[in-house]
Every structure is written in structure tokens, then in C-alpha cells.
Amino acid sequence: MTDNPVETHYTRDDLGEAILAALRAAGKDIDHLTPDDLAPVDEFHGGRRPATVRLAELVGFVGSERVLDVGSGLGGPSRYLAWRYGCRVSGVDLTAEFVRVAEMLTRLTGFVGRVDYRQGDALDLPFESESFDVVWSQNAAMNIADRDRLYREMRRVLKPGGKLALQEVAAGPGGPPHYPVQWAREPSISFLYSQKATRSKLATAGLRVTAWQDTTEPALQSATARARNADGPPPALGTHLLLGGDWQAMFRNSGRNLEERRTELFNAVLERVD
Ligand SMILES: C[S@@+](CC[C@H](N)C(=O)[O-])C[C@H]1O[C@@H](n2cnc3c(N)ncnc32)[C@H](O)[C@@H]1O
């Protein structure tokens, strides 16, 4: 039980069991799972695995980095970074159920010791200052109102010269989003800022942009394909398992919001300035 409305939004009872059943139904071998097997369900952000690959390439990992994933969800991106590059990754997430499932999937894929998770708030990161080479975050900031504090916290735990990698949903010029969306059923837990306002907050926090990509177009293509599939039965394995009974409306609204430019998506890499 939680009284945090964001955690309540993301909490599904028995999510781990539902994912295991879906993996079996999809014909996966539970005893030999790979990050690729899990990608349809554990990459919980616009653009899915291809978006993670794009952001990782923008960072230019070499493998020796110590990485923190803020709002790590079920751990798809963190296990991908450990798998593809050999990075050592910690994840922190507000939702206790997601942390439990992330740990279960990490055991099942054999990543224990290379990836770990803890429950915590991005606004009060449970890590020493200057601990990480890269702080990474995909589609988590839209649940966080106090961006000044979020970006200050992210900078604090970065080593001098460390990099911040972001994929975020931004407010577009088309007006407020249609709800429900994957991150909120109503506006009280949704906090979107324009790309311009976000850049200004990042600069104030002491972070300098080294790369900034507006990824609204590729996100729109992938959201449109998903919205089309929302009319039929869901695949065995997919993020609908995380979303609850109104997943079809969420998929449709995601496409519509991008199309009407109520939302935009961007990738950015920033450097800690000292
Ligand atoms: C849409 S999911 C994205 C999960 C993951 N980053 C991914 O891309 O697969 C958003 C995540 O942000 C987490 N989150 C939201 N607010 C948070 C906060 N204040 N501190 C830590 N995590 C938070 C949620 O619990 C959820 O797991």
C-alpha cells in the first residue's frame, strides 16, 4: 500500500506473475531469458528498445562507466547497458512493485552483480555525491513537478565531467495532453515543460548541453503503429501488462498527443559544469 499517487498509478498487483505467464505464453524459455526476450515489456518508454539504443549511442559508452538510471522501472534499459556495453548500473525508482519485478527479471537474466535496484525518490537520490560517470533517465521526469531539484540532484551524484543522458516527454504548442496517458490518468501527476523551459532549468542546475535531438517524429511513427494495434487483442507480451484496463485509451492518446503536438519527445546529453 502507498499513499503516493505516482506510485499508485504504476502499481499493479502480481505484476511479476503476470509477466512470467506472458513470457511462457509467448514461448520464451524462462530459464534462459535474454534482454531481447524481455524488451517488449521492460522498455517502458516512447520508442522502446530502439530509443534506448539511440540514446546510448548519443552518450558513446565505452563500458567502464558507473551508471545510475533514475526512474528505472522494470530495468530494461539498465540491463541493456550492462549487456551491450558492460557498464555497472544502479537503478532507483519510486514504485516498490517495479523494483521487485526489476530484481526478479535481473535474477532470471543472470545480471545479478552487474545491475542493482533500490526504491527511492529522484528528488532525494539515495547516493553519495560524485558517484556516477553517467546519470541516465528515460520517461520519468514527466511525473516530477520540481525539475529544478531533480536536475540539481542528478548533477550532485555525477562525477565532475560526468554526463547526463535524458529522454523526456515535453510540452508541445498544441495544448495540454489528452488523458489517460501511460504516465498519468489525470493532470494532477503530469508535469510537462517545453523543451526551451527544460533547457533553461538544466543550465541553471549546472549542466551544459552537448547533444539535443527532437525525436517527436520517430516517436510519432512508433506511437501511431501502437495506437493502430490498440484496436485488436494485445500481444502476449507488451507494456499493456503494466498499464491496467485502460491501456488502449493510453496508446491511442499517446499517438494523438504527438500528432497534435500536445507532446514532444527529445533526447539530450549534458555535461556537468564545475
Ligand atoms: C514510464 S516509466 C519509465 C521506466 C523506465 N525508465 C523505462 O524507460 O523503462 C516511469 C518511471 O518513473 C518512476 N518515477 C516517477 N516519479 C519518480 C520519482 N520521483 N522518483 C523515482 N522514480 C520515479 C515511476 O515509478 C516509473 O517506474
Side-chain angles (χ1 to χ4, degrees), residues 67-70 72 89-93 115-119 127:
V67 183
L68 174 65
D69 184 357
V70 175
S72 44
V89 192
S90 293
V92 62
D93 200 284
V115 183
D116 60 79
Y117 302 95
R118 68 176 75 170
Q119 187 188 14
F127 298 96

Side-chain angles (χ1 to χ4, degrees), residues 6 10 42 44-45 71 73 77 93-95 98 120-122 138-140 144:
V6 174
Y10 286 110
D42 71 1
F44 187 23
H45 50 257
D93 200 284
L94 190 69
T95 304
F98 279 3
D121 192 332
Q138 287 170 289
N139 289 49
I144 299 173

Side-chain angles (χ1 to χ4, degrees), residues 43-269:
E43 296 264 3
F44 187 23
H45 50 257
R48 314 290 146 148
R49 166 64 67 72
T52 300
V53 170
R54 242 194 337 264
L55 184 58
E57 285 171 356
L58 207 57
V59 172
F61 284 100
V62 295
S64 54
E65 294 90 351
R66 182 86 180 79
V67 183
L68 174 65
D69 184 357
V70 175
S72 44
L74 302 188
S78 42
R79 282 186 296 275
Y80 173 78
L81 294 176
W83 186 50
R84 165 72 180 79
Y85 294 100
C87 302
R88 175 82 179 75
V89 192
S90 293
V92 62
D93 200 284
L94 190 69
T95 304
E97 179 70 6
F98 279 3
V99 172
R100 274 192 292 276
V101 176
E103 287 172 339
M104 177 191 85
L105 297 176
T106 297
R107 279 194 301 278
L108 288 171
T109 43
F111 281 90
V112 174
R114 297 161 68 186
V115 183
D116 60 79
Y117 302 95
R118 68 176 75 170
Q119 187 188 14
D121 192 332
L123 294 178
D124 190 13
L125 289 171
F127 298 96
E128 299 281 310
S129 298
E130 303 188 3
S131 304
F132 296 96
D133 301 292
V134 176
V135 171
W136 168 284
S137 187
Q138 287 170 289
N139 289 49
M142 67 262 181
N143 287 126
I144 299 173
D146 191 347
R147 296 294 181 85
D148 293 318
R149 183 161 161 193
L150 172 68
Y151 299 138
R152 267 202 316 273
E153 270 297 271
M154 289 172 155
R155 181 187 180 279
R156 178 183 69 75
V157 299
L158 273 177
K159 295 177 187 170
K163 290 178 181 176
L164 172 63
L166 293 177
Q167 170 174 329
E168 284 190 11
V169 181
H178 301 290
Y179 294 93
V181 282
Q182 282 88 330
W183 67 91
R185 290 193 165 73
E186 27 87 26
S188 64
I189 57 164
S190 176
F191 309 99
L192 301 185
Y193 294 82
S194 68
Q195 295 192 53
K196 188 166 171 235
T198 307
R199 283 180 87 121
S200 151
K201 285 177 182 298
L202 287 160
T204 305
L207 293 153
R208 181 176 48 229
V209 174
T210 60
W212 194 283
Q213 293 180 345
D214 186 322
T215 54
T216 308
E217 266 314 313
L220 176 58
Q221 282 164 24
S222 118
T224 308
R226 249 196 335 274
R228 230 179 280 122
N229 294 337
D231 292 332
L237 201 57
T239 53
H240 63 280
L241 296 169
L242 285 60
L243 293 172
D246 45 359
W247 64 272
Q248 286 161 312
M250 291 177 174
F251 281 9
R252 281 196 202 98
N253 285 338
S254 284
R256 203 171 150 210
N257 287 330
L258 286 162
E259 204 173 308
E260 295 173 7
R261 288 298 186 275
R262 292 168 186 274
T263 56
E264 297 175 344
L265 211 73
F266 70 86
N267 278 355
V269 178

